[in-house]
Structures are given as C-alpha cells and as structure tokens.
Amino acid sequence: MHLQAFSPFPSSAALKQFQASITGNVVFFVRHHLYKWKSHIRIGMDGKFVGGQFSPKKLRGGRRCFSRSIGGASISCSNSMGKDLYVPSNEKIINARLIYAVAPAMGHNQESHPESNFRVPAIVNALEKMELTPKIRGSEIIELHNIKPASVDDIAMDQASQEGIIFIDGSGPTYATSTTFHESLVAAGAGITLVDSVVAASKICLDPPVGFALIRPPGHHAIPKGPMGFCVFGNVAIAARYAQRVHGLKRVFIIDFDVHHGNGTNDAFYDDPDIFFLSTHQDGSYPGTGKVDEVGHGDGEGTTLNLPLPGGSGDIAMTTVFDEVIVPCAQRFKPDIILVSAGYDGHVLDPLASLQFTTGTYYTLASNIKQLAKDLCGGRCVFFLEGGYNLDSLSCSVADSFRAFLGERSLASEFDNPAILYDEPSTKVKQVIQRVKHIHSL
C-alpha cells in the first residue's frame, strides 16, 4: 500500500486502512523530520526566547497558544487545533487542591493484555464511589476537559528521522490499534495541559494544586527511538521539555516509583545536567536496566540516580528511601518543578512484580512528594499514571493519593490486608541504600 501524503496527525480512517494492509505490526507515519530530546528551545518566564526569536501566537510544529490573565498571572494552554481549552477560573484555581485530567485511550486495547482499557475507568469509578470528584467536592478538585493532543514536535522522538515513521511490533508486549497514535498524543497533551495549569496556579497561590494525569498508554519505557514496554510516547519526558521550553522552568526533578525501571526517561536525559531522574524499582525486573552505577554521562553525570530494591521491599523500605535518598537529592538539586512517574504496580497485589507496597505506601509517597514540592519549588508538581495492573489495588491506591493531595486521612486500612505481608529484606535494602548514598555523596 502506498500513502501519497501523510499528516503529523493521521486520521483514524487512514490508520485503519493502513493497519489492514499489514499483519501483526503497525507503522505510524509521523513526519519526514523529527527532533531529538536534547534539541530543545528554552523560553523565559516572560514568554521570550532565550537567545532567539519567539512568536507568542505560534510554537514550532503548528502548536498554537493562547493566554489568559488569572489574577495577574498568565496561563498559556496550547493545542494543535487553535481552539481554546478549558481553563479554571481565578476563584477555582485559588481554592483547588487537586487538578486532574482523564485520557483513558479506550480504543487502545488488546484482549487479555494487562495494560488494558479497563485501567483508567476503574480509577474514575473508584473516585466517583469515594466522592473524590468535582461533582461532590466543588472547586476543591478540578477536572480539565477538552484535552487536545500534543504536537509531533512535542513528542520529539528521533525514531527513523530519515524515514519519518514510528514502528510498533504487534507481536511483542507493546501493541497498537488504529487509535493508538492519536490517543497517545492525547495522553501526552493531558500532561502538558496540567503543567500549564499547575504553573499558572503557582503564580497566584502559595499552595497550588497538585496535577494528576490519569492517562494511558503509559510512557516511561518509551525511548527516544520509539515505543517499548507497553509505552508509546514518553509522557513525563515530554512534559519536562515542555516545562523548560514554554515556562522557563530550567531544573526539572523526576521521581519514578513504578516497579519497573523507567529506562526511557533515564536515556532521554542521561547527559542533561538540568533534569534529575531518580528511579526506584524492583531489582532484576523488566527491562533489566537501572543499576546503581548508572549515574548519567558527560555534563549529566550525577543527575541520574537508580535505586533497585530487592524483591519483598515494602513500606519500611520506601519510607527510608524517601527520607535518606529522595529528599537530600531534591534539596541539593533545587528543582523548579517536580514531575512524578506514578506506577502503582509495586503493590503487593499486583501480578507483574513482587514488591510489598500497600495502598498506605502510596498515600505516604503522595503526601511526602506534595510537601517536597511545596518546600522546594513553589508547590509545582504533576503526577503521571504509569503502571498498575490489579484494578482494585490500582484504583484504591490512586484514590488514596488523591486524599493525600487533599490533606485528608488515609483510608488504606479499609483495603490493605497486613496478614498477606511478610518480613522485608531489611539487610539488603540497607545495603543498596548505603551504596547509592556513597556513589552520590549523600
């Protein structure tokens, strides 16, 4: 089959037609030339290029922007269609403690696959049941609507820069459907829009709301060359570059507590001194990367920290890691914003790993990260959903994270069952923490 021309945003019909011509694989025609992660442009807080020219009406790649003044602060939300997005009012921004966006990718699904289109709806249903939505809470919680896709320049992958394609091998764990490309752009766009909203709120609030992107496909395994490990585009990496480029937030601190190593994010910023990537993950789990001696390269040496936890690690291990590793790293780095790859597959009930995190673990993490952002970067913090494949533990843990952001008590005791837990490998945990602290001079 020959496509005479292609758009950065292929239509659903075109993708369906193209997919029908192949067996087991999907190829997305993106554009003839793509940009590498490191080829970013910085824009100051005043909306001007640092060392170049800037048109406030249009970013490269056709991504249009608009601005609104909210209590003296300017919020810029951008989309590929040139239409206004939903922007919370001044009063709502001031009163809000949590802003979230939902991008469930319902067309991106494969039968019996753990990364299914049941995941985000399960979370949304739990939030409604537990009365953690704007309908019940009013302006305390804001849901962003009318999310527009990220642009191709936003995703900034370098896969097949000469051929202009993205290839997904349908026979492996990273599947694709006719809607995957578009829905992956929407997921990335949701993260970008939340960055816009949180940054705007931080200009008028001493305690701005935390952002949470309830999105899929997940992103932290997607490498600059293409999709990998259930992930299509690196949602957190895209948001990090966007925060630098559009909002002038030079120093970005990324925390990844998914049970699997975020190799894609790791690789994207491995030589970048302005983005600190910190990953906790189960030792020996997919994809086999994330060793303690992977610390960055060149100018970026020291701004990558990997802490592989032994199987069986749980709440005690993670609390210790946060206090002895995450906090001092963040304090020393002095970030302008904190982004979080929030994977809930470290839960003891999750089928894809063997850590012993509980719903209470995730409540504590959410609460502590929120406070860390308040202490270090004006409260600017956005969470991005990554893994989590037991629908019950996933939905309850995200709901308890919401409670943490709202400053409410945890209800983890109503879900967690201490009887199924066993002793954590405390000696091994202590050893790996001490090794990381030695390597990074903590």
Side-chain angles (χ1 to χ4, degrees), residues 41-331:
I41 299 170
R42 290 184 185 158
I43 297 175
M45 295 297 287
D46 58 356
K48 297 179 180 178
F49 268 145
V50 178
Q53 299 295 317
F54 173 56
S55 170
K57 296 299 183 183
K58 188 173 182 181
L59 295 178
R60 58 174 196 180
R63 189 174 178 84
R64 299 182 182 276
C65 296
F66 71 92
S67 298
R68 290 184 184 175
S69 179
I70 302 179
S74 176
I75 177 171
S76 297
C77 292
S78 50
N79 65 83
S80 60
M81 305 300 290
K83 298 179 181 178
D84 286 5
L85 304 182
Y86 168 74
V87 180
S89 68
N90 185 15
E91 181 181 357
K92 284 189 174 183
I93 283 283
I94 291 175
N95 294 331
R97 294 188 177 185
L98 170 65
I99 301 180
Y100 72 100
V102 177
M106 297 306 292
H108 176 71
N109 192 56
Q110 187 177 80
E111 187 176 356
S112 301
H113 197 286
E115 208 295 286
S116 74
N117 62 4
F118 293 114
R119 295 178 66 233
V120 173
I123 296 170
V124 172
N125 288 340
L127 296 177
E128 293 174 350
K129 181 180 179 180
M130 299 177 191
E131 299 185 342
L132 294 168
T133 64
K135 182 178 180 180
I136 301 297
R137 299 303 187 98
S139 60
E140 191 176 33
I141 301 176
I142 297 174
E143 179 181 2
L144 298 181
H145 300 285
N146 304 321
I147 301 299
K148 299 301 180 183
S151 73
V152 172
D153 287 322
D154 286 324
I155 66 174
M157 299 172 70
D158 66 2
Q159 165 70 7
S161 59
Q162 298 301 316
E163 295 87 351
I165 62 172
I166 293 175
F167 176 77
I168 298 181
D169 181 357
S171 64
T174 310
Y175 64 88
T177 70
S178 62
T179 63
T180 294
F181 181 73
H182 176 75
E183 289 177 319
S184 298
L185 290 175
V186 173
I192 285 172
T193 305
L194 283 165
V195 169
D196 285 335
S197 298
V198 167
V199 171
S202 72
K203 295 179 182 179
I204 58 175
C205 306
L206 293 177
D207 188 16
V210 175
F212 205 129
L214 299 177
I215 57 177
R216 54 179 295 273
H220 72 153
H221 292 310
I223 58 177
K225 290 185 177 181
M228 179 179 175
F230 304 174
C231 304
V232 178
F233 300 139
N235 302 314
V236 165
I238 291 165
R241 282 294 184 232
Y242 181 85
Q244 290 181 321
R245 188 179 75 241
V246 174
H247 294 291
L249 301 175
K250 178 181 178 182
R251 298 178 70 77
V252 182
F253 193 79
I254 301 174
I255 301 171
D256 186 331
F257 59 73
D258 190 278
V259 77
H260 304 107
H261 179 237
N263 61 296
T265 317
N266 183 103
D267 292 355
F269 306 122
Y270 205 62
D271 59 357
D272 192 326
D274 293 329
I275 295 185
F276 197 112
F277 174 69
L278 190 155
S279 175
T280 63
H281 46 275
Q282 183 178 332
D283 190 21
S285 63
Y286 179 89
T289 52
K291 307 302 182 185
V292 294
D293 57 357
E294 296 176 27
V295 297
H297 178 265
D299 291 341
E301 184 174 351
T303 55
T304 296
L305 188 151
N306 286 295
L307 203 162
L309 292 167
S313 299
D315 187 69
I316 297 173
M318 201 60 203
T319 299
T320 306
V321 167
F322 193 88
D323 293 340
E324 297 189 16
V325 177
I326 295 177
V327 170
C329 274
Q331 290 173 336

